[in-house]
Structures are given as C-alpha cells and as structure tokens.
Amino acid sequence: MAVPPAMILVFGSLNIDLVAQVPVIPGPGRTVLAPSYQTHFGGKGANQAVAAARIAGAGQVQMAGRVGQDGFGDRAIDNLAANCVDTSLVIRSDEPTGCAFITVDQASENAITVASGANLAAGALDLPGSLFGPDTVLVLQMEVPFAEALEAARRMTSASGTVVWNLAPVPEKMTGQMVTELLTVTDYLLVNEHEALDAAAAIGLVASDYGAAAADLARTGDLTCIVTAGAQGALAVTADGVRIRAPAPRITPVDTTGAGDTFAGAFAAMLHEGASLQRALGISCEAAALKCLKPGAQTGMPMRSAIGSMAWDGSPP
C-alpha cells in the first residue's frame, strides 16, 4: 500500500520513561530513596513527534521507528495515535521497547539513563521513498543508529527536503567524521550550549563560547545552527553569520525533562508552516517553557492554543 507523503517526518526513538523524584541525584556508589515513581512516554523521537503534532495539528506528523512486541510497545503506539501522530511506520521488533530511567531533584534538574532496546533496530530502509520530497521536514536525533539517521538525511537532502537534526544526546565517542558527515546533510542543526562546543571541538574548531561554536558550525556546514540555552532563550546563527536571538519566558520550572524535545518539535512545526526564523525561535522557546511547568516528557507539551499566554523578559514572538 502506498504511503502518502509526510509533512513532518520524525525518524527516531520511542521509549517508556520511569521517573523518580529524589532529594539529590545520586553520584557513583550512592543510593537515594524515592517514595514512588511515575511512568511517562518518552524517547527523543516520540517526544519531538508529539510536540510537533500539538503545534502543527492533526494529520501533519508521521513517526518512524521501532518498539518491542511487548506491553510498553503497545502503549507507546497508542499514545502517539492519541496525540494525532501517524504510527504506520512504527515497526515491532524482537528487542524490547526502549526505556529511560530518570531521576529529578528538588531543583528540577534531571539525570537520565537510556536502555535503547528496539531503537537500535531502526533503519533508513523503513522509510518509503514516497516520504522524501521538497514538502517534507525530516526530524532526526541521536538515539537510533547514526548510520541509519545519516542515510535518511542523505535521501531527504537528495529529494530537496528539509533536514532538522538535533545533535542529542552527544555520543560518548563522537568523531570528527561523524560531525562532518552530519553537517553536510543538515539544514538546521539544533544543539544546547554543551553540544555546540562538543560538536565544534570534534572537528577541530576552538570556540570560546557556544555562540562562537554555533557560528563556526553554521559556516562549516553551510547551515543554520540553533542553540537552546535554557533561561537565556535561543540563538540562531546562519551560514553567513547572521545572529537571531529569542528570549525565554519567565518561569519557575517543575520538570525540565523534554524541554529540548519540545523546542525541536515546535521548531519543525513552525518551519513547515513557513514561519520566519525569528518567529520559529520565539514560538519554540515559549513551547519549551510551557512544558517545564508540568512533569513528564510529553504530558506538559503545550497545544497550539496555549502559545501566547506567558510573561516574557523581552518582546513576545
């Protein structure tokens, strides 16, 4: 059966998140007690798909990835469908559904361990050729095999589509070749402050701060590099050095888990709408801030109707 062209295509991970509130995030050799835990839906790919769908609306987002033939997989697929994400390209694998184990401390900071499971079976060949074209925004992360994500990006670039690559989480052994290959097939590189510096360093660029790193990456890859910087908002640097900033709303965060994914999904949705880079940054910053007011990676992700409701330190988008 032919698959209709996607508008926003997310190729990435699907996880179940097990979240515990703790007084302090434990270090090596240390145990802390939590009174209970919560189960949430996660995986950077699924998170970004849900975030994009809540901003773009029903029928605009398709998810491609793998889950296990288990109850967690059933729940992950049902949750995406409930959030108006097309799940026809979510394939069942013999490996178990991926899980993330998350601790959140009293300052709302988090530490995350991910067991990849079925996500490691995801492949670019899972994506039918009909999905690649100039009207598609492809969203990628780093929780499925890099070679497969790279191949998907190459196919989208060859088809004149748009590639948004969130370089997170940064691999422990990220090589210069990986970063160079990624830059050649990416239109919008999304990183946080640390990821920007890590990516620049991997290809031999010495940057004094994340702004300089973003400029170097944008110039080297002939792309737009976007840095999310928490309370400092977001910075975009184009290939020719133009800098655009968006402020962050004033909030007291409850849980920052999924804030970066919310930004990425909202940004993809705004790109697909044809929004200006300034507006896309502003909407994405507000969406990420709204997410931080509620626990869980996906449960706090805002609907489009909530955008425009926050107090700002600068001019709203």
Side-chain angles (χ1 to χ4, degrees):
M1 181 176 64
V3 179
M7 295 182 178
I8 301 170
L9 172 62
V10 182
F11 176 48
S13 57
L14 301 92
N15 291 332
I16 296 296
D17 293 350
L18 304 177
V19 183
Q21 300 282 337
V22 295
V24 62
I25 294 172
R30 183 173 181 182
T31 299
V32 296
L33 297 179
S36 63
Y37 68 93
Q38 299 85 43
T39 302
H40 299 285
F41 299 101
K44 295 189 74 63
N47 288 349
Q48 293 175 12
V50 169
R54 291 189 178 183
I55 298 298
Q60 305 298 304
V61 181
Q62 185 160 20
M63 178 78 210
R66 299 280 186 119
V67 295
Q69 301 184 49
D70 48 36
F72 278 167
D74 294 338
R75 294 177 61 189
I77 290 174
D78 290 346
N79 173 68
L80 286 174
N83 279 283
C84 300
V85 176
D86 185 326
T87 63
S88 58
L89 293 178
V90 178
I91 298 172
R92 308 305 285 256
S93 171
D94 291 335
E95 296 296 322
T97 300
C99 280
F101 307 93
I102 302 171
T103 51
V104 182
D105 68 15
Q106 294 175 333
S108 298
E109 294 299 324
N110 62 67
I112 305 173
T113 298
V114 178
S116 297
N119 293 309
L120 295 182
L125 291 179
D126 296 341
L127 309 178
S130 60
L131 297 177
F132 296 88
D135 295 328
T136 300
V137 177
L138 174 65
V139 183
L140 302 167
Q141 323 79 34
M142 300 293 285
E143 289 186 337
V144 298
F146 176 74
E148 301 300 326
L150 184 65
E151 177 60 21
R154 285 172 174 160
R155 291 172 67 190
M156 189 60 71
T157 298
S158 295
S160 301
T162 300
V163 177
V164 177
W165 202 320
N166 179 207
L167 183 54
V170 171
E172 287 187 22
K173 298 181 179 180
M174 184 170 67
T175 66
Q177 181 179 351
M178 290 175 65
V179 175
T180 298
E181 290 177 331
L182 183 156
L183 294 179
T184 62
V185 292
T186 299
D187 298 293
Y188 296 90
L189 177 67
L190 271 57
V191 288
N192 64 22
E193 309 104 295
H194 308 293
E195 293 156 359
L197 291 166
D198 288 345
I203 55 175
L205 300 173
V206 180
S208 58
D209 55 42
Y210 69 77
D216 287 343
L217 291 167
R219 183 179 61 256
T220 301
D222 191 25
L223 51 77
T224 297
C225 183
I226 296 164
V227 185
T228 56
Q232 298 178 59
L235 167 68
V237 185
T238 65
D240 55 3
V242 175
R243 295 191 177 209
I244 300 174
R245 290 187 178 274
R250 300 185 301 270
I251 63 168
T252 300
V254 172
D255 181 4
T256 59
T257 308
D261 293 335
T262 303
F263 183 100
F267 184 78
M270 297 310 297
L271 276 185
H272 184 262
E273 286 186 14
S276 68
L277 185 55
Q278 180 72 69
R279 178 169 171 77
L281 290 180
I283 294 295
S284 302
C285 281
E286 184 172 3
L290 284 166
K291 190 274 127 216
C292 291
L293 298 179
K294 296 182 180 180
Q298 293 181 19
T299 51
M301 289 178 173
M303 304 298 290
R304 183 63 172 265
S305 59
I307 300 298
S309 63
M310 306 196 76
W312 287 75
D313 286 322
S315 299

PDB file of all heavy atoms in Angstrom, residues 225-262:
ATOM      1  N   CYS A 225      22.639  27.048  12.558  1.00  0.00           N
ATOM      2  CA  CYS A 225      22.842  26.374  13.838  1.00  0.00           C
ATOM      3  C   CYS A 225      22.025  27.094  14.903  1.00  0.00           C
ATOM      4  O   CYS A 225      22.130  28.319  15.049  1.00  0.00           O
ATOM      5  CB  CYS A 225      24.321  26.365  14.221  1.00  0.00           C
ATOM      6  SG  CYS A 225      24.662  25.473  15.762  1.00  0.00           S
ATOM      7  N   ILE A 226      21.232  26.329  15.635  1.00  0.00           N
ATOM      8  CA  ILE A 226      20.374  26.893  16.666  1.00  0.00           C
ATOM      9  C   ILE A 226      20.785  26.318  18.012  1.00  0.00           C
ATOM     10  O   ILE A 226      20.842  25.093  18.190  1.00  0.00           O
ATOM     11  CB  ILE A 226      18.899  26.577  16.370  1.00  0.00           C
ATOM     12  CG1 ILE A 226      18.497  27.272  15.066  1.00  0.00           C
ATOM     13  CG2 ILE A 226      18.000  27.024  17.517  1.00  0.00           C
ATOM     14  CD1 ILE A 226      17.229  26.762  14.474  1.00  0.00           C
ATOM     15  N   VAL A 227      21.079  27.200  18.957  1.00  0.00           N
ATOM     16  CA  VAL A 227      21.489  26.793  20.297  1.00  0.00           C
ATOM     17  C   VAL A 227      20.384  27.131  21.283  1.00  0.00           C
ATOM     18  O   VAL A 227      19.957  28.289  21.380  1.00  0.00           O
ATOM     19  CB  VAL A 227      22.788  27.492  20.734  1.00  0.00           C
ATOM     20  CG1 VAL A 227      23.248  26.948  22.086  1.00  0.00           C
ATOM     21  CG2 VAL A 227      23.885  27.306  19.691  1.00  0.00           C
ATOM     22  N   THR A 228      19.905  26.129  22.017  1.00  0.00           N
ATOM     23  CA  THR A 228      18.958  26.369  23.106  1.00  0.00           C
ATOM     24  C   THR A 228      19.757  26.535  24.388  1.00  0.00           C
ATOM     25  O   THR A 228      20.618  25.717  24.703  1.00  0.00           O
ATOM     26  CB  THR A 228      17.970  25.202  23.238  1.00  0.00           C
ATOM     27  OG1 THR A 228      18.686  23.968  23.422  1.00  0.00           O
ATOM     28  CG2 THR A 228      17.119  25.075  21.983  1.00  0.00           C
ATOM     29  N   ALA A 229      19.459  27.608  25.123  1.00  0.00           N
ATOM     30  CA  ALA A 229      20.276  27.961  26.280  1.00  0.00           C
ATOM     31  C   ALA A 229      19.443  28.209  27.522  1.00  0.00           C
ATOM     32  O   ALA A 229      19.720  29.121  28.316  1.00  0.00           O
ATOM     33  CB  ALA A 229      21.127  29.184  25.960  1.00  0.00           C
ATOM     34  N   GLY A 230      18.403  27.395  27.714  1.00  0.00           N
ATOM     35  CA  GLY A 230      17.608  27.468  28.930  1.00  0.00           C
ATOM     36  C   GLY A 230      17.014  28.846  29.150  1.00  0.00           C
ATOM     37  O   GLY A 230      16.335  29.408  28.287  1.00  0.00           O
ATOM     38  N   ALA A 231      17.292  29.418  30.332  1.00  0.00           N
ATOM     39  CA  ALA A 231      16.736  30.717  30.695  1.00  0.00           C
ATOM     40  C   ALA A 231      17.238  31.844  29.806  1.00  0.00           C
ATOM     41  O   ALA A 231      16.648  32.934  29.786  1.00  0.00           O
ATOM     42  CB  ALA A 231      17.067  31.024  32.152  1.00  0.00           C
ATOM     43  N   GLN A 232      18.317  31.584  29.061  1.00  0.00           N
ATOM     44  CA  GLN A 232      18.843  32.605  28.144  1.00  0.00           C
ATOM     45  C   GLN A 232      18.134  32.586  26.786  1.00  0.00           C
ATOM     46  O   GLN A 232      18.454  33.388  25.911  1.00  0.00           O
ATOM     47  CB  GLN A 232      20.339  32.385  27.932  1.00  0.00           C
ATOM     48  CG  GLN A 232      21.175  32.514  29.196  1.00  0.00           C
ATOM     49  CD  GLN A 232      22.639  32.235  28.916  1.00  0.00           C
ATOM     50  OE1 GLN A 232      23.276  32.895  28.101  1.00  0.00           O
ATOM     51  NE2 GLN A 232      23.187  31.229  29.585  1.00  0.00           N
ATOM     52  N   GLY A 233      17.192  31.678  26.613  1.00  0.00           N
ATOM     53  CA  GLY A 233      16.465  31.619  25.350  1.00  0.00           C
ATOM     54  C   GLY A 233      17.208  30.830  24.293  1.00  0.00           C
ATOM     55  O   GLY A 233      17.865  29.832  24.596  1.00  0.00           O
ATOM     56  N   ALA A 234      17.115  31.259  23.055  1.00  0.00           N
ATOM     57  CA  ALA A 234      17.732  30.539  21.938  1.00  0.00           C
ATOM     58  C   ALA A 234      18.457  31.503  21.023  1.00  0.00           C
ATOM     59  O   ALA A 234      18.082  32.663  20.874  1.00  0.00           O
ATOM     60  CB  ALA A 234      16.673  29.763  21.152  1.00  0.00           C
ATOM     61  N   LEU A 235      19.515  30.987  20.403  1.00  0.00           N
ATOM     62  CA  LEU A 235      20.317  31.740  19.453  1.00  0.00           C
ATOM     63  C   LEU A 235      20.396  30.960  18.147  1.00  0.00           C
ATOM     64  O   LEU A 235      20.703  29.766  18.152  1.00  0.00           O
ATOM     65  CB  LEU A 235      21.730  31.958  19.988  1.00  0.00           C
ATOM     66  CG  LEU A 235      22.783  32.468  18.987  1.00  0.00           C
ATOM     67  CD1 LEU A 235      22.473  33.901  18.572  1.00  0.00           C
ATOM     68  CD2 LEU A 235      24.185  32.346  19.569  1.00  0.00           C
ATOM     69  N   ALA A 236      20.116  31.615  17.043  1.00  0.00           N
ATOM     70  CA  ALA A 236      20.302  31.025  15.722  1.00  0.00           C
ATOM     71  C   ALA A 236      21.396  31.796  14.990  1.00  0.00           C
ATOM     72  O   ALA A 236      21.430  33.028  15.034  1.00  0.00           O
ATOM     73  CB  ALA A 236      19.013  31.081  14.913  1.00  0.00           C
ATOM     74  N   VAL A 237      22.298  31.057  14.350  1.00  0.00           N
ATOM     75  CA  VAL A 237      23.346  31.665  13.539  1.00  0.00           C
ATOM     76  C   VAL A 237      23.275  31.044  12.150  1.00  0.00           C
ATOM     77  O   VAL A 237      23.329  29.818  12.004  1.00  0.00           O
ATOM     78  CB  VAL A 237      24.749  31.448  14.137  1.00  0.00           C
ATOM     79  CG1 VAL A 237      25.791  32.217  13.323  1.00  0.00           C
ATOM     80  CG2 VAL A 237      24.802  31.883  15.597  1.00  0.00           C
ATOM     81  N   THR A 238      23.141  31.878  11.137  1.00  0.00           N
ATOM     82  CA  THR A 238      23.047  31.390   9.768  1.00  0.00           C
ATOM     83  C   THR A 238      24.437  31.176   9.182  1.00  0.00           C
ATOM     84  O   THR A 238      25.448  31.585   9.760  1.00  0.00           O
ATOM     85  CB  THR A 238      22.267  32.375   8.888  1.00  0.00           C
ATOM     86  OG1 THR A 238      23.013  33.596   8.793  1.00  0.00           O
ATOM     87  CG2 THR A 238      20.896  32.659   9.472  1.00  0.00           C
ATOM     88  N   ALA A 239      24.478  30.551   8.020  1.00  0.00           N
ATOM     89  CA  ALA A 239      25.759  30.242   7.377  1.00  0.00           C
ATOM     90  C   ALA A 239      26.570  31.497   7.078  1.00  0.00           C
ATOM     91  O   ALA A 239      27.809  31.459   7.093  1.00  0.00           O
ATOM     92  CB  ALA A 239      25.523  29.447   6.096  1.00  0.00           C
ATOM     93  N   ASP A 240      25.891  32.604   6.814  1.00  0.00           N
ATOM     94  CA  ASP A 240      26.615  33.841   6.521  1.00  0.00           C
ATOM     95  C   ASP A 240      26.816  34.721   7.756  1.00  0.00           C
ATOM     96  O   ASP A 240      27.166  35.892   7.637  1.00  0.00           O
ATOM     97  CB  ASP A 240      25.919  34.632   5.409  1.00  0.00           C
ATOM     98  CG  ASP A 240      24.457  34.923   5.722  1.00  0.00           C
ATOM     99  OD1 ASP A 240      23.991  34.555   6.822  1.00  0.00           O
ATOM    100  OD2 ASP A 240      23.783  35.523   4.867  1.00  0.00           O
ATOM    101  N   GLY A 241      26.585  34.133   8.938  1.00  0.00           N
ATOM    102  CA  GLY A 241      26.930  34.816  10.181  1.00  0.00           C
ATOM    103  C   GLY A 241      25.856  35.670  10.812  1.00  0.00           C
ATOM    104  O   GLY A 241      26.096  36.300  11.860  1.00  0.00           O
ATOM    105  N   VAL A 242      24.658  35.724  10.246  1.00  0.00           N
ATOM    106  CA  VAL A 242      23.576  36.500  10.847  1.00  0.00           C
ATOM    107  C   VAL A 242      23.115  35.824  12.132  1.00  0.00           C
ATOM    108  O   VAL A 242      22.883  34.610  12.162  1.00  0.00           O
ATOM    109  CB  VAL A 242      22.395  36.637   9.871  1.00  0.00           C
ATOM    110  CG1 VAL A 242      21.220  37.338  10.544  1.00  0.00           C
ATOM    111  CG2 VAL A 242      22.826  37.393   8.621  1.00  0.00           C
ATOM    112  N   ARG A 243      22.990  36.612  13.203  1.00  0.00           N
ATOM    113  CA  ARG A 243      22.576  36.082  14.510  1.00  0.00           C
ATOM    114  C   ARG A 243      21.167  36.577  14.846  1.00  0.00           C
ATOM    115  O   ARG A 243      20.880  37.762  14.726  1.00  0.00           O
ATOM    116  CB  ARG A 243      23.550  36.500  15.607  1.00  0.00           C
ATOM    117  CG  ARG A 243      24.940  35.904  15.435  1.00  0.00           C
ATOM    118  CD  ARG A 243      25.792  36.126  16.673  1.00  0.00           C
ATOM    119  NE  ARG A 243      27.098  35.493  16.521  1.00  0.00           N
ATOM    120  CZ  ARG A 243      27.822  35.025  17.537  1.00  0.00           C
ATOM    121  NH1 ARG A 243      27.363  35.128  18.782  1.00  0.00           N
ATOM    122  NH2 ARG A 243      28.995  34.468  17.312  1.00  0.00           N
ATOM    123  N   ILE A 244      20.340  35.638  15.282  1.00  0.00           N
ATOM    124  CA  ILE A 244      18.973  35.960  15.688  1.00  0.00           C
ATOM    125  C   ILE A 244      18.756  35.352  17.069  1.00  0.00           C
ATOM    126  O   ILE A 244      19.041  34.174  17.292  1.00  0.00           O
ATOM    127  CB  ILE A 244      17.942  35.395  14.694  1.00  0.00           C
ATOM    128  CG1 ILE A 244      18.165  35.988  13.303  1.00  0.00           C
ATOM    129  CG2 ILE A 244      16.519  35.664  15.174  1.00  0.00           C
ATOM    130  CD1 ILE A 244      17.294  35.376  12.228  1.00  0.00           C
ATOM    131  N   ARG A 245      18.256  36.150  17.999  1.00  0.00           N
ATOM    132  CA  ARG A 245      18.019  35.670  19.354  1.00  0.00           C
ATOM    133  C   ARG A 245      16.533  35.718  19.680  1.00  0.00           C
ATOM    134  O   ARG A 245      15.791  36.574  19.176  1.00  0.00           O
ATOM    135  CB  ARG A 245      18.782  36.512  20.378  1.00  0.00           C
ATOM    136  CG  ARG A 245      20.284  36.309  20.342  1.00  0.00           C
ATOM    137  CD  ARG A 245      20.976  37.047  21.489  1.00  0.00           C
ATOM    138  NE  ARG A 245      22.409  36.827  21.494  1.00  0.00           N
ATOM    139  CZ  ARG A 245      23.015  35.791  22.086  1.00  0.00           C
ATOM    140  NH1 ARG A 245      22.281  34.910  22.736  1.00  0.00           N
ATOM    141  NH2 ARG A 245      24.320  35.662  22.037  1.00  0.00           N
ATOM    142  N   ALA A 246      16.116  34.799  20.530  1.00  0.00           N
ATOM    143  CA  ALA A 246      14.761  34.812  21.073  1.00  0.00           C
ATOM    144  C   ALA A 246      14.861  34.677  22.585  1.00  0.00           C
ATOM    145  O   ALA A 246      15.612  33.838  23.082  1.00  0.00           O
ATOM    146  CB  ALA A 246      13.928  33.672  20.497  1.00  0.00           C
ATOM    147  N   PRO A 247      14.135  35.494  23.343  1.00  0.00           N
ATOM    148  CA  PRO A 247      14.218  35.434  24.798  1.00  0.00           C
ATOM    149  C   PRO A 247      13.445  34.243  25.359  1.00  0.00           C
ATOM    150  O   PRO A 247      12.650  33.610  24.653  1.00  0.00           O
ATOM    151  CB  PRO A 247      13.580  36.749  25.231  1.00  0.00           C
ATOM    152  CG  PRO A 247      12.569  37.019  24.153  1.00  0.00           C
ATOM    153  CD  PRO A 247      13.204  36.538  22.869  1.00  0.00           C
ATOM    154  N   ALA A 248      13.673  33.958  26.622  1.00  0.00           N
ATOM    155  CA  ALA A 248      12.940  32.894  27.303  1.00  0.00           C
ATOM    156  C   ALA A 248      11.880  33.508  28.216  1.00  0.00           C
ATOM    157  O   ALA A 248      12.135  34.516  28.873  1.00  0.00           O
ATOM    158  CB  ALA A 248      13.893  32.038  28.137  1.00  0.00           C
ATOM    159  N   PRO A 249      10.689  32.932  28.284  1.00  0.00           N
ATOM    160  CA  PRO A 249       9.688  33.411  29.236  1.00  0.00           C
ATOM    161  C   PRO A 249      10.173  33.236  30.675  1.00  0.00           C
ATOM    162  O   PRO A 249      10.998  32.367  30.960  1.00  0.00           O
ATOM    163  CB  PRO A 249       8.478  32.513  28.954  1.00  0.00           C
ATOM    164  CG  PRO A 249       8.701  31.972  27.589  1.00  0.00           C
ATOM    165  CD  PRO A 249      10.181  31.833  27.454  1.00  0.00           C
ATOM    166  N   ARG A 250       9.640  34.026  31.578  1.00  0.00           N
ATOM    167  CA  ARG A 250       9.989  33.911  32.993  1.00  0.00           C
ATOM    168  C   ARG A 250       9.156  32.795  33.614  1.00  0.00           C
ATOM    169  O   ARG A 250       7.921  32.881  33.641  1.00  0.00           O
ATOM    170  CB  ARG A 250       9.706  35.232  33.721  1.00  0.00           C
ATOM    171  CG  ARG A 250      10.484  36.416  33.173  1.00  0.00           C
ATOM    172  CD  ARG A 250      10.259  37.661  34.023  1.00  0.00           C
ATOM    173  NE  ARG A 250       8.860  38.040  34.085  1.00  0.00           N
ATOM    174  CZ  ARG A 250       8.285  38.872  33.220  1.00  0.00           C
ATOM    175  NH1 ARG A 250       8.978  39.375  32.201  1.00  0.00           N
ATOM    176  NH2 ARG A 250       7.014  39.196  33.352  1.00  0.00           N
ATOM    177  N   ILE A 251       9.812  31.762  34.123  1.00  0.00           N
ATOM    178  CA  ILE A 251       9.095  30.645  34.747  1.00  0.00           C
ATOM    179  C   ILE A 251       9.861  30.130  35.958  1.00  0.00           C
ATOM    180  O   ILE A 251      11.051  30.378  36.118  1.00  0.00           O
ATOM    181  CB  ILE A 251       8.894  29.462  33.770  1.00  0.00           C
ATOM    182  CG1 ILE A 251      10.255  28.882  33.336  1.00  0.00           C
ATOM    183  CG2 ILE A 251       8.057  29.868  32.569  1.00  0.00           C
ATOM    184  CD1 ILE A 251      10.143  27.541  32.622  1.00  0.00           C
ATOM    185  N   THR A 252       9.145  29.397  36.824  1.00  0.00           N
ATOM    186  CA  THR A 252       9.760  28.579  37.862  1.00  0.00           C
ATOM    187  C   THR A 252       9.519  27.133  37.450  1.00  0.00           C
ATOM    188  O   THR A 252       8.391  26.633  37.545  1.00  0.00           O
ATOM    189  CB  THR A 252       9.130  28.846  39.234  1.00  0.00           C
ATOM    190  OG1 THR A 252       9.313  30.225  39.572  1.00  0.00           O
ATOM    191  CG2 THR A 252       9.793  27.968  40.307  1.00  0.00           C
ATOM    192  N   PRO A 253      10.543  26.446  36.922  1.00  0.00           N
ATOM    193  CA  PRO A 253      10.310  25.124  36.339  1.00  0.00           C
ATOM    194  C   PRO A 253       9.917  24.066  37.359  1.00  0.00           C
ATOM    195  O   PRO A 253      10.371  24.090  38.503  1.00  0.00           O
ATOM    196  CB  PRO A 253      11.655  24.788  35.696  1.00  0.00           C
ATOM    197  CG  PRO A 253      12.654  25.595  36.458  1.00  0.00           C
ATOM    198  CD  PRO A 253      11.950  26.861  36.843  1.00  0.00           C
ATOM    199  N   VAL A 254       9.077  23.163  36.908  1.00  0.00           N
ATOM    200  CA  VAL A 254       8.692  21.992  37.701  1.00  0.00           C
ATOM    201  C   VAL A 254       9.504  20.780  37.266  1.00  0.00           C
ATOM    202  O   VAL A 254       9.978  20.002  38.090  1.00  0.00           O
ATOM    203  CB  VAL A 254       7.182  21.712  37.538  1.00  0.00           C
ATOM    204  CG1 VAL A 254       6.800  20.382  38.194  1.00  0.00           C
ATOM    205  CG2 VAL A 254       6.371  22.855  38.133  1.00  0.00           C
ATOM    206  N   ASP A 255       9.689  20.605  35.982  1.00  0.00           N
ATOM    207  CA  ASP A 255      10.431  19.471  35.431  1.00  0.00           C
ATOM    208  C   ASP A 255      10.923  19.857  34.042  1.00  0.00           C
ATOM    209  O   ASP A 255      10.124  20.151  33.157  1.00  0.00           O
ATOM    210  CB  ASP A 255       9.534  18.227  35.362  1.00  0.00           C
ATOM    211  CG  ASP A 255      10.248  16.995  34.830  1.00  0.00           C
ATOM    212  OD1 ASP A 255      11.465  17.059  34.581  1.00  0.00           O
ATOM    213  OD2 ASP A 255       9.570  15.965  34.665  1.00  0.00           O
ATOM    214  N   THR A 256      12.250  19.871  33.854  1.00  0.00           N
ATOM    215  CA  THR A 256      12.818  20.268  32.563  1.00  0.00           C
ATOM    216  C   THR A 256      12.899  19.120  31.561  1.00  0.00           C
ATOM    217  O   THR A 256      13.300  19.333  30.415  1.00  0.00           O
ATOM    218  CB  THR A 256      14.230  20.860  32.758  1.00  0.00           C
ATOM    219  OG1 THR A 256      15.066  19.871  33.378  1.00  0.00           O
ATOM    220  CG2 THR A 256      14.183  22.106  33.632  1.00  0.00           C
ATOM    221  N   THR A 257      12.528  17.905  31.980  1.00  0.00           N
ATOM    222  CA  THR A 257      12.594  16.759  31.076  1.00  0.00           C
ATOM    223  C   THR A 257      11.742  17.005  29.835  1.00  0.00           C
ATOM    224  O   THR A 257      10.564  17.328  29.926  1.00  0.00           O
ATOM    225  CB  THR A 257      12.089  15.483  31.784  1.00  0.00           C
ATOM    226  OG1 THR A 257      12.767  15.312  33.012  1.00  0.00           O
ATOM    227  CG2 THR A 257      12.295  14.264  30.900  1.00  0.00           C
ATOM    228  N   GLY A 258      12.335  16.865  28.672  1.00  0.00           N
ATOM    229  CA  GLY A 258      11.602  17.022  27.426  1.00  0.00           C
ATOM    230  C   GLY A 258      11.529  18.441  26.908  1.00  0.00           C
ATOM    231  O   GLY A 258      10.938  18.668  25.841  1.00  0.00           O
ATOM    232  N   ALA A 259      12.145  19.399  27.602  1.00  0.00           N
ATOM    233  CA  ALA A 259      12.071  20.786  27.141  1.00  0.00           C
ATOM    234  C   ALA A 259      12.767  20.962  25.797  1.00  0.00           C
ATOM    235  O   ALA A 259      12.245  21.622  24.886  1.00  0.00           O
ATOM    236  CB  ALA A 259      12.684  21.719  28.183  1.00  0.00           C
ATOM    237  N   GLY A 260      13.947  20.355  25.653  1.00  0.00           N
ATOM    238  CA  GLY A 260      14.656  20.448  24.382  1.00  0.00           C
ATOM    239  C   GLY A 260      13.898  19.782  23.252  1.00  0.00           C
ATOM    240  O   GLY A 260      13.891  20.271  22.113  1.00  0.00           O
ATOM    241  N   ASP A 261      13.254  18.658  23.553  1.00  0.00           N
ATOM    242  CA  ASP A 261      12.464  17.974  22.529  1.00  0.00           C
ATOM    243  C   ASP A 261      11.240  18.792  22.143  1.00  0.00           C
ATOM    244  O   ASP A 261      10.823  18.799  20.979  1.00  0.00           O
ATOM    245  CB  ASP A 261      12.027  16.598  23.038  1.00  0.00           C
ATOM    246  CG  ASP A 261      13.192  15.648  23.218  1.00  0.00           C
ATOM    247  OD1 ASP A 261      14.220  15.836  22.538  1.00  0.00           O
ATOM    248  OD2 ASP A 261      13.084  14.723  24.045  1.00  0.00           O
ATOM    249  N   THR A 262      10.645  19.466  23.117  1.00  0.00           N
ATOM    250  CA  THR A 262       9.512  20.336  22.816  1.00  0.00           C
ATOM    251  C   THR A 262       9.938  21.453  21.882  1.00  0.00           C
ATOM    252  O   THR A 262       9.240  21.772  20.908  1.00  0.00           O
ATOM    253  CB  THR A 262       8.935  20.923  24.106  1.00  0.00           C
ATOM    254  OG1 THR A 262       8.547  19.860  24.988  1.00  0.00           O
ATOM    255  CG2 THR A 262       7.720  21.793  23.817  1.00  0.00           C
TER     256      THR A 262
END
